[in-house]
Amino acid sequence: MSKISFWLQRVAQLLIVLLLVTFGVSLLLRLIPVDLATILLPVGSEIERDLLRTELGFDKGPIGYYLQWLGDFVQGDMGKIYFSGGTEEVSTHLRNAMPRSLLLMIYTQVTALAIAIPLGVLSAYRVGRRADKITSNILFTLSSIPNFAIALLLIIFIGVKLAWLPTLGYAPLSDGIWEHFQYMIMPVISLSCGLVSTYTRLLRADMIAALREDYVTMAASKGLSDRRILWRHVFRPSSLTLLTSAALSMGALIGGAIVIESIFATYGVGFEVFFAIQGRQYVLLQSTVAVIALFYVFFNLVVDLSCGFVDPRTRDRRVNA
Amino acid sequence: MSSLLSVKGMNINFDTSRGLLEAVRNVDLEIPAGMSVGVVGESGSGKTVMCRAAMGLLQGSNVKRSGKVVFDGRELTAMSKSEVREQFGSGMAMIFQDPMTALNPVRRIGSQVSEGLRVRLGMSKKDALARSKELLELVRIPNAAAVLKLFPFQLSGGMRQRVMIAIAISCSPKLLFADEPTTALDVTVQAQILQLLRELREDLKMSMVLVTHDLGVVAGNTDYVAVMYAGEVVEFAETKKLFADMRMPYTEALLESIPTIDQKSGARLAVIAGRLPDPTDRGAGCSFAPRCKYAQDKCRNEHPELKQDPDGHLYRCWFPIGEAK
Amino acid sequence: MAGSGTAHMRNTVDAVLTVRDLTVEFRTGRDKVVRAVSGLSFDVIKGETLAIVGESGCGKTTLARAVLQLPPPNSGEVVFDGTDLTTLPKENLRSARTSMQMIFQDPISSLDPRMTVQQLIDEPLEIWGRGDRAERAERINNLLNNVGLDPELVLNRRSYEFSGGQCQRISIARALALDPRMLICDEPVSALDVSIQAQILNLLQDMKDRFGLTMIFISHDLAVVKAVSNRVIVMYLGKICEVAPPETLYAKPAHHYTKALLDSVPVADPTRQRKATLLQGEPPSPMNPPTGCRFRTRCNAASAMCAEQEPQLREVAPGQFVACHHPIS
Amino acid sequence: MRSYSKPTLLAIGWLGLMLFFALFGWILPFKEWNYVFEDDLEMGLFSSGHILGTDSNGYDLLASIVAGTRMSIFIAVAAVGLGGLIGSVLGIFSAYVRGKVDTVMVTLFNVGLSVPNLVLALALVSVLATNVDINQAVPTWRRVMVLIISLTIILIPILGRIARGATMSWAGREFVTAARSMGMKDIKIITKHIVPNVLPALIAVAFLAVGVVIIAEASLSILGVGIPDGASWGGMIARGRNDLEYAPHTLYVPLFFLALTVISTNHLGDVVRSKLDSREAKV
């Protein structure tokens, strides 16, 4: 099988997963034991509600409803949010929320990796020594503290007591770098603490295992320096797990972001989910979950691809498998 | 004859959860320049640890070592880590048992072969790659230019072992440690690799330490043999002399117990009773005494010292074979 | 070589196991099929030890497992004691398997690490309800004594507390528990130390004599094979090259591959180093085997005919069968 | 029997205390967790009569913690137990059977895993905990049930995948082939050889999962869809958030209990895992 057809197959698999996810959410909404139109238009007339039922396809049964939603979704129509005074487009909401969340994720991942990589390499190199033991213990504790706890503590100390940073809100990059980052620092710290410890622990374990391999002894017998061996021969194969784990932790990160965005009032995608549930905006909920799943699945695909670049073995194994 | 490498009083112990593991015990070994020396032993005999320690490649915080290693007139054990490193490549090099695990799985063959050339000889990337291609041709890899661009997993076991040999000889070492270089290979490929090593040794005037568990491999490929058991060198002699006139009961028993293609089919094999000694509990007497058919009380209670025949044949036994005659 | 044919089949009533035209394939991708064993036939006569020898990847282990239907072969028949195992319903197969037991290469992985020796050997007896508790305990003691282990010392210990040789003894005791008629040994000594190998080989020989077993012995080690076998099959890339009694095969190999194998074995005698005619290259991939004779790509005697026609097994000396267009005479 | 290290003993001790709170909290001489001490609003830590102080509603925090422990631990144990059971049965079965069943199962697991945990939990809770009459509040017991079901659904693919992976690696060992060649039935091979070997890995993950569930429950409460006015740690955190400027201890107390519990379960998970690894190394 060629590489291209392998990737096509992989993409097809992901599409199936996506379809099943969105269908599942759609089905879930139909399970609600109440009339959706009544929830969306609590004060409207029965005629208006009937119109809405036809518009959204509530009258078509689960599969018909899903197909209609899907058809609209792929054309970019993500449905509406219903207020007492009128409606707003979900896509407008998400277009506003997406960059906030994306930036938050990117900053978090970058921060986490930037701290975890040197820390992991160092503690693997000095395994069993004091520095390694101390880092391990601190990181272990950190990994067990939920991100909302860190967020709340940061708000109490840095936001309220010291009043160094604003505790609520968001400013886009166009408002100035400092403007932007002063709203981002605390959310990013809250979200990255757990990741730092996950990544460091993984990288450390992987590198310790790699350091025992024959190819490391082989590299040493060529007369290479420790630094060269560490980065060129040990870090690269170990970074594969790191990459995979970065993809896997994306899910936890998105979940964490919902809480953190609501605590810091960042109004990102996570907040939209929160808002959709609080305000019973089920169309918004369905489309937002679909967008999140799409993003998550896409990210996994990218990681899969890059694994192939980092470790040629997986490339071949997958082509063969 | 001058020694290229001499090991004196080497002891290597590992701190383990089960207690102190005595891997290498009081080993003296001379590797004459230009010669090939076989180190034979079963698993746990300390042969691999001894070689890695001699080269200064043994790492880990739980290793305790003592003894002196002199290579090419300079004492390795007195050098700093970076000075020892200077010796690698052009002084000493090593090849390993499993070429799959000894080559970095995620780097191309070209970068792995040329790495030593660039770091140790300071070649440019282009020169180093050109030289790498020559090296691959030297170890008879067909299509060398294409192989440079491959990853280890894309090669067969025999080809990988050839790549490893190419890496080891890239800076023309004086001494090559070959640690079970053919154990992971099929018998027809093993024969090819052994032949390649013989030819390279002749062409490059290289000394070799060949570590193996296979007395057959030793017989055809070495000038001297050191037999190891339970961390000690128990016998050392010229290969021809050793096979003709062995002194250690262990060596004799080992040779007798190995099935050969010349023996009668269906014949009962001679057996060494018992099992390999526990490396954390070496006991007082001769390590082989519990399994030795000649053992007497003295063997069980007193540890034999290394004795030497006038012709240089060394052995560690109270009642060596042939002495009674 | 690496040919087909049935000339070597003895077709006697004494055959305990007859394998005909056995093919095992693995799918390794959408349209990639590895034919690990293709169209192979052989028979094993009561009380003999048939050795199957070949290099890694020649299909010898796959063959052994296919005989036990683990997993079943893609085609062919496996007639054991007059019953074709490939067509047997699952329940009957389960009981048929008990008279055919296997010894594995990795003695440690073949024993469940959570179970004591007592439980390990008791397991087959318990499955088939052989005897009550006391009878089984006695049987376990007997079995352990037979394989040279002291029941009192080993019964309550687990596999990881033992050395490889001892684990192999336990495996043998377990395999013998159900009074099998046939033992299939897959590289039983290649994971063991040199000084332990002979112990296990002798033990297998003793057990065979004592219990009247028929054996299939798989190995890559020609010397080991010579020590234990009555008949040897040399395999290459899923096909048979040569079938002969060991004396004939080792003294006068008729197949070029057999000769190359024998020439490659190192001899523990510095005065008698053979001048080996080395085989070039390595075995090709079983995914895409050469046409005609599968060995021709590495054979010095290969001719145009070898690429076109697959050689059939034929008798070149009494009891010696070879699949080669140009056998060594 | 090997002795345990100090941190391990501390973790066991702490979890023991939490279990005691959960099972026997009712014998302790407290008033109802939501009894209002009208004269004792927002009292600090170690006040007389209220060791952990009170919050702005006048609830005694220690009584709340004890009641909250019952709820949080109940939800965690129930969800992990159910999710673990269903997940491991599915995972072990599909890995052992292989083939089409396995492909379908893996796809289903992937579907479950491709929606981030909390998003899935939010969606499930919000849908399942909706009343026919939207103006009528959903009773607490039903919220708890919904929460447990949602968290169970989340855990199934996570634990299922781990069970599947572990089964794959054990089912390939030769002793399984040996058991088959002795004529052992598949169901017995699974119960006698696979399950006991897979179990330690599952137990290790189950400990971690308890932590995940506790955190998820708290997160949902903070988002207002947990048990907002019920006695759970999450509920306390959600209430304390409103007072964080004036009475931060109302936040510290539940956070402290929650963090220590999660640290303990994670630590025990690690201990089980490393025991497993060292045993694996021996094998």
Side-chain angles (χ1 to χ4, degrees):
Chain A
M1 205 188 326
S2 74
K3 265 178 206 169
I4 293 170
S5 76
F6 164 71
W7 285 113
L8 282 179
Q9 201 189 345
R10 185 92 185 87
V11 170
Q13 274 171 6
L14 291 178
L15 274 179
I16 291 171
V17 167
L18 270 182
L19 287 177
L20 285 172
V21 169
T22 46
F23 180 65
V25 175
S26 166
L27 204 63
L28 206 60
L29 291 183
R30 302 296 304 221
L31 284 179
I32 302 180
V34 274
D35 177 35
L36 284 173
T38 319
I39 292 185
L40 293 175
L41 290 180
V43 290
S45 67
E46 200 50 42
I47 300 165
E48 282 174 307
R49 285 181 195 153
D50 267 343
L51 272 174
L52 185 69
R53 282 186 194 114
T54 336
E55 187 193 331
L56 294 179
F58 287 157
D59 49 353
K60 286 184 192 158
I63 293 178
Y65 168 68
Y66 173 67
L67 289 178
Q68 175 163 350
W69 172 86
L70 187 69
D72 289 345
F73 185 83
V74 294
Q75 286 169 36
D77 177 4
M78 300 189 184
K80 294 189 179 70
I81 301 172
Y82 300 86
F83 294 108
S84 49
T87 60
E88 275 176 28
E89 285 291 323
V90 169
S91 49
T92 328
H93 262 242
L94 287 183
R95 204 169 300 135
N96 181 35
M98 278 291 263
R100 300 173 179 217
S101 294
L102 276 179
L103 285 176
L104 181 60
M105 309 258 157
I106 292 169
Y107 295 155
T108 305
Q109 289 279 17
V110 168
T111 312
L113 288 172
I115 298 173
I117 290 174
L119 216 54
V121 172
L122 202 72
S123 46
Y125 184 56
R126 323 221 65 188
V127 60
R129 312 266 183 92
R130 212 164 137 190
D132 170 47
K133 281 184 182 157
I134 294 173
T135 355
S136 291
N137 284 328
I138 293 177
L139 288 176
F140 176 77
T141 315
L142 218 52
S143 73
S144 304
I145 298 180
N147 46 37
F148 57 77
I150 296 171
L152 292 171
L153 294 177
L154 284 175
I155 288 180
I156 293 176
F157 289 104
I158 296 186
V160 177
K161 295 221 164 123
L162 298 169
W164 282 351
L165 293 168
T167 55
L168 295 174
Y170 173 82
L173 255 175
S174 50
D175 287 6
I177 289 174
W178 170 241
E179 264 309 297
H180 175 66
F181 276 107
Q182 67 175 351
Y183 287 104
M184 284 305 216
I185 290 174
M186 289 202 288
V188 167
I189 294 178
S190 323
L191 283 172
S192 51
C193 275
L195 286 186
V196 167
S197 93
T198 314
Y199 293 168
T200 311
R201 276 146 49 97
L202 259 175
L203 185 60
R204 174 178 172 273
D206 248 40
M207 288 198 51
I208 290 172
L211 278 167
R212 291 201 199 105
E213 295 274 352
D214 270 351
Y215 62 76
V216 172
T217 317
M218 175 89 194
S221 81
K222 287 185 202 168
L224 308 183
S225 66
D226 283 0
R227 175 188 289 262
R228 194 179 167 102
I229 293 175
L230 212 54
W231 287 104
R232 295 272 184 114
H233 286 268
V234 183
F235 175 68
R236 202 166 137 196
S238 306
S239 56
L240 183 72
T241 338
L242 197 63
L243 212 65
T244 321
S245 127
L248 285 177
S249 42
M250 214 56 198
L253 191 53
I254 293 169
I258 299 178
V259 183
I260 297 301
E261 283 179 6
S262 87
I263 289 178
F264 289 101
T266 313
Y267 299 109
V269 177
F271 185 82
E272 292 295 338
V273 175
F274 170 61
F275 170 72
I277 285 160
Q278 288 291 325
R280 301 187 167 210
Q281 295 293 344
Y282 289 113
V283 183
L284 172 65
L285 181 69
Q286 186 174 358
S287 295
T288 312
V289 171
V291 168
I292 291 175
L294 185 70
F295 169 73
Y296 187 46
V297 165
F298 174 74
F299 189 77
N300 272 298
L301 182 71
V302 171
V303 166
D304 255 16
L305 253 170
S306 40
C307 278
F309 286 111
V310 174
D311 190 341
R313 283 171 300 178
T314 54
R315 212 171 352 184
D316 191 73
R317 196 178 305 141
R318 283 173 195 192
V319 173
N320 276 338
Chain B
M1 205 177 330
S2 65
S3 288
L4 180 61
L5 179 84
S6 98
V7 174
K8 286 229 158 46
M10 179 191 277
N11 281 289
I12 308 284
N13 298 325
F14 295 98
D15 249 335
T16 69
S17 55
R18 290 171 56 221
L20 201 64
L21 190 153
E22 298 178 49
V24 175
R25 296 190 294 163
N26 201 17
V27 162
D28 293 341
L29 191 67
E30 304 283 324
I31 311 295
M35 293 288 162
S36 165
V37 177
V39 177
V40 191
E42 297 177 84
S43 63
S45 63
K47 55 191 193 303
T48 294
V49 174
M50 194 268 288
C51 282
R52 292 201 181 186
M55 213 174 146
L57 285 173
L58 213 54
Q59 292 190 333
S61 50
N62 63 339
V63 186
K64 297 206 169 93
R65 70 193 95 192
S66 64
K68 202 165 109 173
V69 179
V70 178
F71 174 71
D72 209 10
R74 303 175 64 198
E75 194 185 335
L76 286 179
T77 33
M79 288 183 193
S80 74
K81 211 174 164 184
S82 62
E83 282 173 318
V84 174
R85 211 178 283 143
E86 299 281 311
Q87 301 295 317
F88 293 161
S90 50
M92 301 181 279
M94 191 163 204
I95 55 178
F96 297 81
Q97 169 174 353
D98 187 348
M100 188 67 223
T101 60
L103 292 174
N104 194 322
V106 304
R107 306 188 61 207
R108 287 175 203 279
I109 302 295
S111 88
Q112 298 197 50
V113 179
S114 59
E115 190 169 31
L117 296 166
R118 297 186 62 195
V119 172
R120 292 255 62 85
L121 304 182
M123 283 189 176
S124 73
K125 189 171 181 178
K126 201 172 145 234
D127 293 350
L129 273 176
R131 175 74 187 135
S132 302
K133 183 168 165 278
E134 289 170 22
L135 285 165
L136 292 188
E137 280 159 0
L138 192 64
V139 295
R140 318 246 157 72
I141 291 180
N143 244 336
V147 169
L148 283 177
K149 296 196 182 70
L150 296 179
F151 290 97
F153 71 92
Q154 292 167 308
L155 299 177
S156 68
M159 285 301 144
R160 275 185 224 132
Q161 195 57 279
R162 284 169 197 270
V163 169
M164 197 140 75
I165 294 172
I167 294 174
I169 62 168
S170 62
C171 303
S172 322
K174 294 182 181 135
L175 177 62
L176 177 70
F177 285 94
D179 186 358
E180 304 255 12
T182 56
T183 307
L185 304 175
D186 275 320
V187 60
T188 55
V189 182
Q190 159 169 295
Q192 296 168 5
I193 296 292
L194 288 173
Q195 192 190 31
L196 174 68
L197 282 174
R198 279 197 301 271
E199 289 169 10
L200 286 174
R201 226 165 53 69
E202 218 153 274
D203 295 349
L204 305 172
K205 310 268 174 289
M206 187 167 61
S207 307
M208 179 164 77
V209 177
L210 179 67
V211 178
T212 178
H213 66 275
D214 189 334
L215 282 169
V217 169
V218 169
N221 294 282
T222 60
D223 304 308
Y224 290 85
V225 187
V227 180
M228 288 189 76
Y229 187 77
E232 292 176 310
V233 170
V234 293
E235 186 160 18
F236 181 83
E238 264 183 69
T239 308
K240 283 190 179 129
K241 256 182 223 160
L242 185 108
F243 280 93
D245 183 22
M246 48 189 62
R247 289 302 170 91
M248 269 306 284
Y250 170 65
T251 317
E252 181 196 59
L254 192 62
L255 194 62
E256 280 174 357
S257 72
I258 301 173
T260 71
I261 54 172
D262 301 316
Q263 84 204 25
K264 207 172 150 298
S265 169
R268 225 182 144 67
L269 295 163
V271 159
I272 308 182
R275 51 193 180 120
L276 295 170
D278 180 352
T280 56
D281 178 21
R282 293 302 197 190
C286 167
S287 314
F288 187 60
R291 304 174 74 187
C292 181
K293 58 182 171 187
Y294 310 114
Q296 305 188 17
D297 279 349
K298 188 175 186 184
C299 305
R300 285 182 269 272
N301 300 322
E302 285 176 61
H303 195 83
E305 287 305 310
L306 215 52
K307 283 192 256 179
Q308 186 166 24
D309 279 355
D311 60 357
H313 193 142
L314 292 164
Y315 47 88
R316 197 182 277 277
C317 181
W318 292 120
F319 307 103
I321 303 162
E323 193 151 273
K325 285 178 202 164
Chain C
M1 92 118 155
S4 310
T6 51
H8 61 297
M9 303 288 282
R10 288 162 292 190
N11 298 320
T12 80
V13 283
D14 286 341
V16 179
L17 177 77
T18 308
V19 170
R20 273 193 207 95
D21 224 7
L22 193 79
T23 298
V24 187
E25 293 171 349
F26 297 114
R27 300 183 69 85
T28 60
R30 182 138 295 203
D31 34 41
K32 273 190 183 166
V33 172
V34 175
R35 287 203 160 183
V37 176
S38 47
L40 211 132
S41 308
F42 65 87
D43 50 10
V44 193
I45 289 177
K46 189 170 173 3
E48 86 173 348
T49 301
L50 173 77
I52 300 175
V53 69
E55 293 179 280
S56 52
C58 74
K60 51 192 193 301
T61 293
T62 313
L63 175 65
R65 296 197 175 207
V67 167
L68 273 168
Q69 314 293 308
L70 293 168
N74 297 60
S75 66
E77 19 179 289
V78 177
V79 181
F80 180 70
D81 261 351
T83 342
D84 185 357
L85 300 184
T86 54
T87 58
L88 220 51
K90 210 178 164 194
E91 262 315 291
N92 302 12
L93 180 61
R94 232 164 45 78
S95 57
R97 269 185 196 145
T98 57
S99 38
M100 223 194 310
Q101 288 292 295
M102 192 154 178
I103 308 283
F104 298 90
Q105 170 172 5
D106 181 350
I108 294 165
S109 146
S110 58
L111 303 174
D112 189 333
R114 304 190 69 81
M115 294 167 80
T116 62
V117 171
Q118 151 101 34
Q119 291 166 333
L120 283 168
I121 303 179
D122 192 35
E123 186 165 48
L125 298 172
E126 200 199 322
I127 299 174
W128 296 100
R130 300 274 167 93
D132 59 27
R133 194 169 286 265
E135 285 165 5
R136 296 208 307 256
E138 200 194 318
R139 177 131 177 82
I140 294 168
N141 280 355
N142 283 340
L143 285 164
L144 285 172
N145 282 325
N146 271 333
V147 298
L149 292 171
D150 182 349
E152 288 197 5
L153 291 179
V154 303
L155 269 180
N156 294 312
R157 290 162 70 190
R158 283 164 224 274
S159 62
Y160 52 82
E161 298 175 59
F162 296 103
S163 66
Q166 288 169 307
C167 282
Q168 210 55 305
R169 285 174 192 273
I170 297 168
S171 296
I172 293 172
R174 181 179 59 179
L176 294 175
L178 291 174
D179 294 316
R181 300 192 54 200
M182 179 173 229
L183 213 51
I184 301 180
C185 309
D186 184 6
E187 303 260 12
V189 296
S190 53
L192 303 179
D193 263 303
V194 201
S195 71
I196 306 297
Q197 282 192 3
Q199 297 177 4
I200 298 298
L201 289 174
N202 279 351
L203 175 67
L204 281 171
Q205 203 72 26
D206 291 345
M207 294 301 111
K208 187 192 154 199
D209 296 343
R210 183 172 307 173
F211 298 103
L213 298 169
T214 306
M215 274 212 287
I216 295 182
F217 191 99
I218 291 161
S219 179
H220 69 277
D221 188 329
L222 287 148
V224 166
V225 161
K226 182 160 190 195
V228 299
S229 64
N230 307 110
R231 199 172 200 228
V232 184
I233 292 181
V234 181
M235 272 182 82
Y236 186 82
L237 275 187
K239 299 237 174 196
I240 294 181
C241 296
E242 187 164 0
V243 187
E247 290 79 12
T248 323
L249 187 92
Y250 285 71
K252 288 165 81 186
H255 200 285
H256 297 276
Y257 177 61
T258 317
K259 178 156 185 353
L261 271 181
L262 287 169
D263 282 347
S264 304
V265 177
V267 188
D269 184 352
T271 59
R272 240 174 24 89
Q273 288 306 310
R274 311 171 189 228
K275 198 87 191 104
T277 42
L278 281 189
L279 216 48
Q280 292 307 305
E282 288 169 57
S285 156
M287 261 184 262
N288 191 15
T291 57
C293 170
R294 292 196 173 180
F295 182 60
R296 69 177 163 83
T297 50
R298 298 170 77 196
C299 184
N300 295 328
S303 67
M305 178 166 65
C306 301
E308 286 153 18
Q309 255 183 308
E310 187 181 347
Q312 300 289 307
L313 278 163
R314 58 195 163 108
E315 192 161 16
V316 288
Q320 184 175 27
F321 300 84
V322 64
C324 180
H325 294 305
H326 316 286
I328 307 167
S329 51
Chain D
M1 192 73 220
R2 246 209 354 240
S3 62
Y4 293 105
S5 71
K6 247 182 220 157
T8 309
L9 287 176
L10 278 176
I12 293 174
W14 178 261
L15 289 183
L17 181 68
M18 291 302 102
L19 268 183
F20 172 78
F21 277 2
L23 294 175
F24 305 107
W26 52 272
I27 9 176
L28 296 174
F30 296 135
K31 298 214 183 284
E32 294 275 293
W33 69 273
N34 53 0
Y35 178 88
V36 177
F37 292 89
E38 284 176 24
D39 303 330
D40 300 339
L41 297 184
E42 292 188 10
M43 289 184 65
L45 291 171
F46 312 115
S47 314
S48 66
H50 307 286
I51 295 180
L52 297 179
T54 59
D55 67 8
S56 57
N57 293 327
Y59 301 165
D60 178 72
L61 285 177
L62 181 59
S64 298
I65 283 289
V66 173
T69 309
R70 189 168 347 167
M71 185 64 85
S72 294
I73 297 271
F74 172 65
I75 291 174
V77 170
V80 172
L82 273 176
L85 193 71
I86 300 172
S88 10
V89 168
L90 293 179
I92 292 174
F93 178 73
S94 83
Y96 190 81
V97 176
R98 302 268 186 116
K100 289 215 174 72
V101 177
D102 193 38
T103 316
V104 171
M105 202 63 83
V106 169
T107 312
L108 287 180
F109 285 167
N110 280 341
V111 170
L113 291 169
S114 55
V115 186
N117 288 342
L118 205 61
V119 176
L120 186 58
L122 272 171
L124 286 168
V125 171
S126 65
V127 167
L128 298 176
T130 303
N131 243 349
V132 180
D133 179 357
I134 55 172
N135 295 318
Q136 198 185 333
V138 181
T140 304
W141 67 266
R142 197 169 134 201
R143 279 193 172 274
V144 173
M145 283 304 131
V146 163
L147 211 55
I148 290 175
I149 292 170
S150 310
L151 293 169
T152 303
I153 292 175
I154 289 168
L155 287 176
I156 289 173
I158 299 176
L159 292 164
R161 201 160 73 158
I162 286 171
R164 182 178 170 273
T167 306
M168 284 284 206
S169 84
W170 284 101
R173 309 251 172 141
E174 283 176 344
F175 66 80
V176 173
T177 315
R180 236 179 252 165
S181 76
M182 291 184 294
M184 203 175 205
K185 286 182 182 156
D186 285 334
I187 186 74
K188 271 207 110 179
I189 294 182
I190 292 179
T191 52
K192 277 194 81 176
H193 289 294
I194 306 275
V195 171
N197 281 305
V198 169
L199 212 55
L202 283 175
I203 291 173
V205 184
F207 269 113
L208 303 183
V210 168
V212 170
V213 169
I214 289 176
I215 291 177
E217 184 270 325
S219 302
L220 291 173
S221 293
I222 290 174
L223 294 173
V225 293
I227 314 162
D229 42 341
S232 77
W233 292 344
M236 291 176 73
I237 294 169
R239 285 194 296 278
R241 237 186 97 191
N242 302 324
D243 303 325
L244 63 82
E245 284 182 47
Y246 313 104
H249 72 278
T250 53
L251 204 50
Y252 296 155
V253 169
L255 282 181
F256 175 79
F257 274 77
L258 187 141
L260 218 53
T261 306
V262 175
I263 290 174
S264 301
T265 54
N266 283 1
H267 177 74
L268 289 186
D270 264 19
V271 171
V272 176
R273 154 104 328 132
S274 65
K275 276 209 169 151
L276 191 70
D277 286 347
S278 65
R279 204 182 53 122
E280 278 289 277
K282 260 191 237 157
V283 170

